[in-house]
Amino acid sequence: MISQRAMGIGGPARPWVQRHRGANRLEQFPLAVWSKLVSRHARNVSRDLMGYGDPMGYGPFREVIAEYLRAFRAVKCELAQIMVTTSPQQALQIAALALLDAKDSAWIEEPAYPGTHQALQAAGARAVPVPVDAEGLNIEYGIQQEGCARVAIVTPSHQFPMGVSMSSMRRLELLSWAREHGGWIIEDDCNSEYDLRGTPVSSLQGLDVDGRVIYVGTLTKAVFPALRLGFIVIPKDLIRSFLDIRNATDTFATSVLYQMAMTDFIREGHFSRHMSRMREVQIETRNALAAAIIAQTAGLLEVVDDEADMQLVTLLPPGLDDVDVAAKLPKLSAAVYALSECYVSRPPRGGLVIGYANLNLEDIPAMLAALKTAIHTSIPKH
Amino acid sequence: MISQRAMGIGGPARPWVQRHRGANRLEQFPLAVWSKLVSRHARNVSRDLMGYGDPMGYGPFREVIAEYLRAFRAVKCELAQIMVTTSPQQALQIAALALLDAKDSAWIEEPAYPGTHQALQAAGARAVPVPVDAEGLNIEYGIQQEGCARVAIVTPSHQFPMGVSMSSMRRLELLSWAREHGGWIIEDDCNSEYDLRGTPVSSLQGLDVDGRVIYVGTLTKAVFPALRLGFIVIPKDLIRSFLDIRNATDTFATSVLYQMAMTDFIREGHFSRHMSRMREVQIETRNALAAAIIAQTAGLLEVVDDEADMQLVTLLPPGLDDVDVAAKLPKLSAAVYALSECYVSRPPRGGLVIGYANLNLEDIPAMLAALKTAIHTSIPKH
């Protein structure tokens, strides 16, 4: 017999995260520069750095992350609050274990990134789905449904997968719920770098004056997935508890070598150059993809008019089963999956989420043809 | 409010694992060879390996691990069963989450590696301490105490920290308990490479014909801690559940770069040469340390006559508080800590565990002087 939590996770056999976060356009990455930095550090490994490292992560790397978050995401933080993780999934897991006991409940967005739900299941905690509308999470609904939840896990910059950014009013409501109920907010801010609106929305964490927000981010997506570098910004009062959980679950952070190389990559300006270039590439891809869908799949796919980054949400004709449609798709360079996989309950309407992070412009026609075929063969015959 | 599990872990602020597993003599490591392997792979990174990797780990590395375990540890396994982890702690955590729900119970050895208890606490599960005697875990006691436990976590090759190896009779009793009660056995086989008896004891997993044993190992200790490479051998029926937990807690394995470099390091024979050299170094250190303690601390420290590897267990005069003594010690190159930190209940007699993995022979006199001072000043005055 296995644990109920393991049974609960179940679901599709293919790993979620790979499909949902998607990989970036690896051919765009300045691999020569990166390889040079890594081999420079690999050749000059100090024995000091071969032993057990600081479980919070490599100091200089934490410092550049803190600087970056203060400057670009308006996060209020200092080095001592930064814990390096291998991934946002690990960050969610550590936070869930530090804050929730079995049977405790947490609000998750409906729809949400499925890994969020899975992290709660692994912790034995209970997910309370709270709907997302045009202003983001419906806080009032959450309070009515389960005001005493311990945690709310949100993606305020760009809701995943719908893309809306949480309104100022909702941000204040959420912070005041946390203050009044002693709740915690986990802000998953992954991919906020790829804002297609020009001026990125600031973090929710930066508005918090009560130390109720745990901020989760990653460099993995912006750089390359195998990097395995994410981070948590932990409210000062919680650092010790998060560290206890980290020690109980996996001692210390990911590769020191990569943390060293990444510190240089950021300090020497390669990171911001790469980000600017990728932002252009992704805007171009998104616009071309949205235009092609609108022009060529009228009546079959409806583009949800949001500004979600790295994925485009489309809706299917009412009555079609999106899991069924997605199952008919061949392997594509875009990660295409059923919108209903992001829902705990039944979605109001089925759809396809198209993760275009790794999509080349020249692959769009073939992808659209595959989508059309899959949809056509799923429409019930009368 | 933080979770009860986080509160439960608490304990000493310094991370357990760093002290308890200890770091190896880093100056002995063939760093030039290793750096060359790492920079070779860093210069030739294939874009295929920059994306999301197999959550089970890098194939060729899993293959060399499977070969190594079959040849040297008599583990019955194939590549498909090997999951690469960052550490034995992560392996324990994944196993605990996959097999135990909150309030489920697991046998742990008394005394045990404290990280074992912490992994259970993080999972919300309950530890049932089962005493270890000269034959290893007292299975009969465990069955009387809580026969319906779901899991037994054991260190059969060299009990941690006492060093006894589990007798054949006990191994068979434990396997038959697992078969009859549907229990699982987690075999923590870390450091079995450093057997000082000449012929290493074979793994418990190799005796199991019912697929009830989960085998946990690491290369971290034998090579260098910052490597972050451990592994689990998973019974075939459980692979899917372990993978679900892995995806929910941290997607995919540790640095692919290090997995690639380590594959070469093993294949090219550097690993076995390093292990042979380290075995000699460690035997020499252990003998010198034990001899010095016996000669110079009569009446203060009594060496437990076992063959524990990488740590020497010593007992204090009855009535002395080992936590108190350990707190008086200055920073030493050996990791010295109170024996009672390995117990859930009160130990029959206080002691000091001396992790000598990183101890140089020339540091022994200064360490003994520090130990004597700490003990003398702890003896109550009459």
Side-chain angles (χ1 to χ4, degrees), chain A residues 73 109 132-137 139 152-160 162-168 170-172 174-175 185-192 195 197 200-207 213-216 307 309:
Chain A
R73 303 296 307 129
E109 296 170 327
V132 167
D133 59 27
E135 291 193 67
L137 191 79
I139 318 292
I153 308 178
V154 290
T155 52
S157 298
H158 307 109
Q159 203 279 327
F160 187 98
M162 303 307 282
V164 294
S165 82
M166 193 184 283
S167 70
S168 305
R170 292 281 175 86
R171 286 171 191 246
L172 297 174
L174 184 58
L175 290 168
I185 300 165
I186 300 174
E187 176 177 20
D188 177 348
D189 201 39
C190 298
N191 298 342
S192 58
D195 197 286
R197 281 162 285 216
V201 192
S202 291
S203 68
L204 175 66
Q205 196 267 11
L207 292 177
V213 178
I214 294 97
Y215 179 95
V216 169
E307 284 165 318
D309 300 315

Side-chain angles (χ1 to χ4, degrees), chain A residues 1-7 9-19 21-23 25-32 34-36 38-40 42-55 86-87 89-91 93 96-102 104 115 118-119 122-125 150 182 184 212 220-221 223-228 237-238 240-258, chain B residues 1-7 9-19 21-23 25-32 34-36 38-40 42-55 86-87 89-91 93 96-102 104 115 118-119 122-125 150 182 184 212 220-221 223-228 237-238 240-258:
Chain A
M1 208 161 86
I2 59 164
S3 68
Q4 303 234 338
R5 49 182 139 217
M7 268 187 280
I9 294 169
R14 290 171 299 167
W16 264 111
V17 187
Q18 298 190 34
R19 289 186 295 152
R21 302 262 186 204
R25 297 274 287 277
L26 298 178
E27 83 285 357
Q28 301 278 343
F29 184 71
L31 188 54
W34 174 252
S35 296
K36 219 174 89 185
V38 175
S39 25
R40 183 204 294 166
R43 274 194 310 273
N44 301 304
V45 177
S46 143
R47 292 196 196 265
D48 294 349
L49 294 170
M50 289 171 64
Y52 286 101
D54 185 336
T86 52
S87 60
Q89 193 65 35
Q90 189 184 52
Q93 192 63 60
L97 293 174
L99 302 174
L100 294 160
D101 284 305
D104 280 348
Q118 297 188 344
R150 296 278 295 273
W184 302 104
R212 309 304 301 177
T220 284
K221 181 68 177 288
V223 180
F224 62 94
L227 183 67
R228 313 313 292 144
D237 291 349
L238 292 181
R240 176 61 201 278
S241 306
F242 275 59
L243 202 45
D244 284 340
I245 292 291
R246 148 135 264 164
N247 283 323
T249 55
D250 186 22
T251 336
F252 86 93
T254 184
S255 162
V256 177
L257 179 63
Y258 276 3
Chain B
M1 209 163 84
I2 59 163
S3 66
Q4 304 236 338
R5 49 182 137 216
M7 268 188 279
I9 294 170
R14 290 170 299 165
W16 264 112
V17 187
Q18 298 189 35
R19 290 185 296 153
R21 300 265 186 202
R25 296 277 285 280
L26 298 178
E27 84 285 356
Q28 301 279 343
F29 184 70
L31 188 54
W34 175 253
S35 296
K36 219 176 89 186
V38 175
S39 25
R40 183 206 292 168
R43 273 194 313 273
N44 301 305
V45 177
S46 144
R47 292 197 197 264
D48 294 349
L49 294 171
M50 290 171 65
Y52 287 102
D54 185 335
T86 52
S87 59
Q89 194 64 34
Q90 189 184 52
Q93 193 62 60
L97 292 175
L99 302 174
L100 293 160
D101 284 304
D104 280 347
Q118 297 188 344
R150 296 278 294 274
W184 301 105
R212 309 304 302 176
T220 284
K221 182 66 175 291
V223 180
F224 63 94
L227 183 68
R228 314 312 294 142
D237 291 349
L238 292 179
R240 176 62 201 278
S241 307
F242 275 59
L243 203 45
D244 284 339
I245 293 291
R246 148 134 264 163
N247 283 323
T249 55
D250 186 22
T251 334
F252 88 108
T254 185
S255 162
V256 177
L257 179 63
Y258 276 3

Side-chain angles (χ1 to χ4, degrees), chain B residues 199-247:
Chain B
T199 31
V201 193
S202 292
S203 68
L204 176 64
Q205 196 267 10
L207 292 177
D208 172 32
V209 291
D210 304 293
R212 309 304 302 176
V213 178
I214 294 96
Y215 179 96
V216 169
T218 181
L219 296 178
T220 284
K221 182 66 175 291
V223 180
F224 63 94
L227 183 68
R228 314 312 294 142
L229 286 181
F231 44 84
I232 321 179
V233 183
I234 310 171
K236 286 177 193 167
D237 291 349
L238 292 179
I239 294 173
R240 176 62 201 278
S241 307
F242 275 59
L243 203 45
D244 284 339
I245 293 291
R246 148 134 264 163
N247 283 323

Side-chain angles (χ1 to χ4, degrees), chain A residues 54-74:
Chain A
D54 185 336
M56 293 293 282
Y58 175 65
F61 178 65
R62 293 162 69 204
E63 184 59 56
V64 299
I65 291 297
E67 281 165 21
Y68 171 79
L69 292 176
R70 285 192 297 259
F72 293 99
R73 303 296 307 129

